[in-house]
Amino acid sequence: MARRNLKDARIIVTGASSGIGRALAIQLCQRGATVLATARRADRLQELEQLCRDMPGSLTTMVGDLTSEQHRQEIVSYATVEWNAVDVLINNAGAGAIGRFDDASAERLRRVMEIDFFAPVELTRLCLPLLAMGRRPAILNIGSVLSHRAVPNKSEYCAAKFAMRGWAESLRVELAAQRIEVLMLSPSTTRSEFFDSLVDTNPNVKSKSVGSMRPERVAQLAIATLVRSKREMILSLGGKGLVWAGRLFPRLTDRILGRFA
Ligand SMILES: NC(=O)c1ccc[n+]([C@@H]2O[C@H](COP(=O)([O-])OP(=O)(O)OC[C@H]3O[C@@H](n4cnc5c(N)ncnc54)[C@H](OP(=O)(O)O)[C@@H]3O)[C@@H](O)[C@H]2O)c1
């Protein structure tokens, strides 16, 4: 399949105020794309706008909470009025939670599902008519290694990321006739602000704040996923190892993971 050209592509990137989304917005702009970057932190988005000002592409920002229906409508209204189509939707915004399920509130599960599952799914629903009018349209979902193999102390996050993957797999087949591609990138631990923004997490539970991948590298691989239309990409040797160990030796993997529970 021919490579996707990102120059002048009209691309929505959610969660662009930090980490992977920010790196993605910058790299897309460097490649000449027209980017709408969204998140809640206005100061971060302003700084991103400044940074991208002299790049070959263009970047506009929109501040809001993606779990709000009104904000999702605003994103789609912008794309309708300014672009009349969307070429790529990147569902990147997300948040995690750490701790045992039996210690957690029902509210934590609902919040994680709202951010990591319902928000991207409902934004996608609103974008479908615009994607249908796009040039070589694609939806790129940022999942996780934990979309493929669950681990203890992250039950809500794993549930949301598994749900995203299941939904995307179904959508991929449904949208094939309209030639809208559904792609998925599954990073492993990435050095971003992810572990500083956990949802309702017990302060006594230690969270990992360092990781093996840089957001810039993850963004490069996300762009490669888009350019080459890779339907699923799992990142890092450790990430692939966990997924394959879980498939080939599920009981042994459970036992090993149990040591961290
Ligand atoms: N870091 C990891 O180890 C890792 C591993 C695998 C997968 N991932 C996935 O990668 C994606 C990006 O995460 P990251 O590592 O780059 O973390 P990050 O630095 O914390 O970035 C998360 C982004 O999501 C936005 N966001 C969170 N809640 C939001 C909401 N309610 N409404 C709008 N925007 C919201 C944040 O912006 P505001 O706070 O400004 O709203 C931020 O821009 C997520 O989907 C995450 O699940 C991360």
Side-chain angles (χ1 to χ4, degrees):
M1 194 182 275
R3 291 178 166 224
R4 175 175 278 105
N5 184 1
L6 297 175
K7 189 172 174 330
D8 298 325
R10 296 153 292 186
I11 304 180
I12 298 172
V13 182
T14 68
S17 60
S18 65
I20 298 166
R22 178 178 184 276
L24 256 171
I26 293 169
Q27 291 178 27
L28 288 168
C29 227
Q30 284 167 338
R31 282 174 167 255
T34 303
V35 178
L36 174 62
T38 76
R40 289 167 302 180
R41 285 171 292 177
D43 55 333
R44 295 294 194 90
L45 290 181
Q46 243 167 36
E47 183 249 298
L48 180 66
E49 245 176 40
Q50 294 287 335
L51 191 71
C52 294
R53 196 188 278 166
D54 298 323
M55 288 185 185
S58 68
L59 181 132
T60 306
T61 59
M62 188 175 284
V63 178
D65 187 330
L66 213 58
T67 64
S68 139
E69 166 74 21
Q70 192 192 328
H71 175 56
R72 295 193 294 262
Q73 291 281 2
E74 280 164 6
I75 294 173
V76 173
S77 298
Y78 175 89
T80 306
V81 172
E82 298 296 326
W83 300 345
N84 200 31
V86 170
D87 300 316
V88 180
L89 166 64
I90 305 184
N91 286 316
N92 165 76
I98 293 183
R100 289 177 61 90
F101 177 74
D102 54 13
D103 281 343
S105 64
E107 180 48 36
R108 183 165 93 183
L109 173 62
R110 292 202 174 268
R111 185 73 192 142
V112 171
M113 291 299 287
E114 283 295 340
I115 299 168
D116 292 329
F117 182 65
F118 290 115
V121 166
E122 293 305 336
L123 178 62
T124 303
R125 191 195 301 279
L126 293 176
C127 285
L128 285 178
L130 289 168
L131 282 160
M133 294 190 289
R135 291 188 296 265
R136 183 109 181 253
I139 301 159
L140 172 61
N141 295 308
I142 307 299
S144 166
V145 163
L146 305 185
S147 308
H148 302 261
R149 168 68 220 199
V151 297
N153 290 325
K154 293 182 181 168
S155 59
E156 297 92 349
Y157 182 67
C158 292
K161 290 292 188 183
F162 263 66
M164 175 188 245
R165 181 162 156 251
W167 161 76
E169 213 164 86
S170 184
L171 203 66
R172 179 179 294 133
V173 182
E174 288 183 19
L175 298 181
Q178 287 165 267
R179 300 192 177 282
I180 301 175
E181 292 174 24
V182 180
L183 315 170
M184 185 153 185
L185 182 86
S186 296
S188 55
T189 310
T190 304
R191 265 169 261 153
S192 65
E193 294 174 29
F194 187 78
F195 295 98
D196 305 322
S197 338
L198 297 167
V199 174
D200 180 33
T201 289
N202 181 341
N204 299 322
V205 179
K206 286 256 175 297
S207 66
K208 235 177 159 183
S209 58
V210 288
S212 54
M213 294 195 82
R214 289 180 305 111
E216 293 76 17
R217 180 65 186 142
V218 177
Q220 277 172 358
L221 294 165
I223 288 179
T225 303
L226 258 182
V227 168
R228 295 186 204 142
S229 284
K230 295 218 173 204
R231 45 183 277 156
E232 280 220 357
M233 197 154 157
I234 300 174
L235 302 189
S236 95
L237 219 58
K240 286 180 186 134
L242 174 66
V243 173
W244 280 105
R247 283 178 194 162
L248 297 173
F249 312 107
R251 284 169 195 272
L252 176 66
T253 309
D254 284 354
R255 275 211 299 280
I256 294 170
L257 290 173
R259 293 186 192 158
F260 301 98

